[in-house]
């Protein structure tokens, strides 16, 4: 219905503006500031209401912003159609948005909670009668809707959970765990390039669209198709569960017996025997037969041994996706995506149990118990990284020591953990945790000015070596003495960072004394001049 589409379009536009999928982890503007994410989102929601009033009678009870949590609550929304759409009514008791931020964060958590939603069947025009048969009323009720989205901006990983409860109709639960996911358009750039090639550089304004451009967004009148857009990534696990709360009892009497019976279910199996799609169809038919015999729930779940790479732009039908993911069908609740640990006291494998306790995977998270099991294994780089995360809040100095060890061995994720731990420490504490400026160094580091500079950078970054700003200064000053500009630039960066901090001045002095000893004892003036 036109009113429904227009309202949906306006609401979606406002939502896209108001809901960047990011959690507030960086320092935010003062709670009372109009620049806080919650206040901006509340303002955009009010603007969306003003836009909607062009098309319908829209009223609400309150819009409440919570800048501290980055949340907004909309209460008692009423939408009534006008004119030809006067029979369309929508009401919403409560809509809460949390996890709002102005900027994307490394790890985000956006949640949407809606309650007491009612949409009149008449909002869907000619389909109202059929919808009424399904709902059993003159409206579509939704007692609750919860959407939970967690994202990692660095890796592209995302986890989404959805739960919707419609009283007297059904309960729907779904989840998807992506190792990586993104919107993907393989031919977008090529279509834009085709449009650019049609521009006449000697004619009219090249930025003014001609008649063909207005008909085809990418300026190619010979190809009126839109660019392909889909999702690209890899899926770790997913499930969809639909539980009957009364809808089947209303729909079943209207179905022909040959469709609702066992033979009708078997008719779903159309793929050739021995093919993956045939196996999938058989599983679906069996689950449907069980549901007809005892209406309860149907669950489809994807639990692969390894993430499944996918590109939806290559799919031509739903069967393509089904054959790729091969969901398993049942009438039970979904199985957990993780292996569960029955006895948390069984320490026969302290490493595996300790990591599970540290991450809360397969067993409830327990920091104390995880520290007991993992601390004796701290020489393991992965364990060191886990310990750094566990101690980040309670003991930042100890967390930093573990992060130094993990980063020096190139453990994935350790450099980020090292920087996070370092940000919590005073300069004196982080320098005390690092190797001292007069520590012994490998002879290879003194082979040339380039070798000195590379060794200094490795120490400053903690790349392949334990991070030490004192050693980095010592090595850089030797290379700079031979005229190496990048080494001097490194010294400038270190000095700009620590400035006149007393702990840094002391470390820098120690590094300078050690560098003079290196210069003399290793006869570096002769060595570097010969290179």
């Amino acid at each position: 219905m036109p009113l429904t589409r227009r309202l949906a379009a306006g609401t979606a536009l406002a939502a896209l503006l108001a809901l960047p999928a990011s959690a507030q982890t960086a320092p935010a503007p003062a709670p009372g500031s109009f620049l806080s994410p919650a206040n901006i989102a509340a303002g955009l929601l009010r603007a969306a209401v003003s836009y909607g009033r062009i098309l319908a009678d829209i009223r609400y009870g309150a819009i409440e912003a919570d800048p501290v949590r980055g949340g907004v609550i909309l209460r008692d929304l009423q939408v009534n159609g006008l004119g030809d759409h006067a029979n369309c009514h929508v009401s919403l008791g409560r809509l809460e948005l949390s996890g709002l931020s102005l900027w994307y964060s490394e790890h985000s958590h956006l949640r949407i909670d809606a309650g007491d939603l009612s949409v009149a069947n008449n909002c869907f025009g000619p389909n109202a009668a059929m919808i009424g048969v399904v709902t059993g009323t003159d409206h579509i009720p939704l007692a609750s809707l919860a959407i939970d989205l967690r994202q990692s901006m660095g890796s592209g990983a995302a986890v989404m959970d959805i739960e919707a409860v419609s009283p007297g109709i059904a309960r729907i639960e779904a989840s998807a765990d992506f190792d990586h996911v993104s919107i993907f358009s393989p031919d977008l750039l090529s279509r834009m390039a085709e449009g650019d090639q049609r521009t006449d550089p000697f004619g009219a304004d090249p930025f003014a669209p001609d008649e063909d451009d207005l008909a085809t967004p990418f300026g190619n009148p010979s190809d009126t198709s839109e660019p392909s857009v889909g999702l690209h990534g890899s899926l770790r696990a997913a499930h969809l569960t639909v539980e009957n709360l009364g809808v089947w009892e209303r729909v079943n009497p209207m179905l022909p017996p040959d469709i609702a019976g066992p033979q009708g279910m078997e008719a779903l199996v159309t793929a050739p025997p021995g093919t993956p799609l045939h196996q999938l169809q058989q599983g679906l038919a069996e689950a449907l037969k069980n549901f007809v015999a005892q209406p309860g729930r149907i669950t489809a779940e994807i639990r692969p041994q390894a993430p499944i790479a996918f590109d939806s732009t290559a799919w031509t039908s739903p069967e393509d996706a089904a054959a790729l993911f091969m969901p398993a069908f049942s009438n039970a609740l979904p199985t957990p995506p993780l292996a569960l640990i029955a006895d948390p006291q069984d320490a026969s494998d302290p490493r595996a149990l300790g990591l599970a306790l540290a991450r809360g995977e397969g067993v409830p998270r327990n920091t104390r118990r995880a520290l007991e099991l993992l601390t004796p294994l701290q020489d393991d780089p992965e364990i060191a990284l886990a310990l750094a995360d566990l101690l980040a809040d309670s003991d930042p100095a100890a967390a930093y020591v573990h992060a130094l060890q993990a980063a020096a061995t190139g453990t994935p994720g350790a450099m980020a953990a090292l920087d996070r731990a370092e940000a919590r420490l005073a300069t004196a504490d982080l320098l005390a945790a690092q190797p001292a400026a007069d520590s012994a160094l490998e002879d290879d580091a003194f082979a040339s000015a380039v070798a000195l500079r590379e060794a200094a950078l490795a120490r400053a970054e903690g790349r392949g070596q334990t991070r030490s700003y004192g050693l980095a200064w010592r090595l850089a000053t030797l290379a700079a003495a031979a005229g190496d500009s990048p080494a001097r630039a490194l010294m400038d960066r270190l000095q700009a960072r620590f400035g006149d901090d007393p702990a840094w001045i002391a470390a820098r002095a120690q590094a300078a004394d050690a560098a003079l000893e290196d210069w003399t004892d290793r006869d570096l003036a002769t060595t570097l001049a010969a290179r």
Side-chain angles (χ1 to χ4, degrees), residues 362-397:
V363 67
R365 179 183 172 95
N366 189 300
T367 300
R368 180 193 59 79
R369 177 70 171 142
L371 288 172
E372 290 177 357
L373 293 169
L374 297 180
T375 300
L377 308 174
Q378 58 187 295
D379 291 337
D380 182 320
E382 186 179 357
I383 299 299
L385 179 58
L387 290 171
D389 290 335
L390 289 171
L391 296 170
D393 296 325
S394 60
D395 192 347

Side-chain angles (χ1 to χ4, degrees), residues 405-424:
Q405 177 187 344
T409 57
T411 305
M415 292 299 294
L418 181 62
D419 290 337
R420 289 195 301 270
E422 192 167 285
R424 295 169 176 259

Side-chain angles (χ1 to χ4, degrees), residues 243-382:
E243 181 181 354
N244 172 50
L245 297 181
V247 64
W248 175 253
E249 285 72 14
R250 287 189 295 275
V251 173
N252 185 34
M254 298 183 296
L255 297 177
D258 57 338
I259 293 180
Q263 292 182 349
M265 302 304 170
E266 289 296 339
L268 295 173
V269 184
T270 59
T275 63
L277 192 57
H278 182 271
Q279 178 184 350
L280 184 148
Q281 291 174 346
Q282 280 189 320
L284 174 59
E286 187 65 27
L288 288 173
K289 284 191 289 186
N290 294 336
F291 178 85
V292 171
Q294 186 175 353
R297 69 173 62 88
I298 294 180
T299 295
E301 54 185 333
I302 304 169
R303 298 287 187 262
Q305 295 295 323
I308 300 174
F310 67 91
D311 175 7
S312 68
T313 61
W315 298 342
T316 58
S317 66
E319 286 78 6
D320 293 336
L324 175 64
F325 294 120
M326 287 299 293
F329 296 93
S330 72
N331 301 98
L333 291 171
T335 57
L338 300 170
L340 305 185
I341 298 174
D343 184 8
Q345 301 304 319
D346 181 8
S348 56
D349 188 349
R351 187 182 190 278
L353 178 59
L355 288 174
L357 288 163
R359 298 165 180 167
E361 297 178 350
V363 67
R365 179 183 172 95
N366 189 300
T367 300
R368 180 193 59 79
R369 177 70 171 142
L371 288 172
E372 290 177 357
L373 293 169
L374 297 180
T375 300
L377 308 174
Q378 58 187 295
D379 291 337
D380 182 320
E382 186 179 357

Side-chain angles (χ1 to χ4, degrees), residues 11 17 21 32 44 51 67 69 72 93 122 209 212 222 295 320 326-327 336 343 391 413 424 427 452 461 481 501:
T11 304
L17 293 173
L44 290 172
Y51 165 84
R69 293 190 312 111
V72 175
N122 288 326
D212 289 331
S222 63
D320 293 336
M326 287 299 293
D343 184 8
L391 296 170
R424 295 169 176 259
T427 301
L452 285 166
E461 297 171 5
D501 188 289

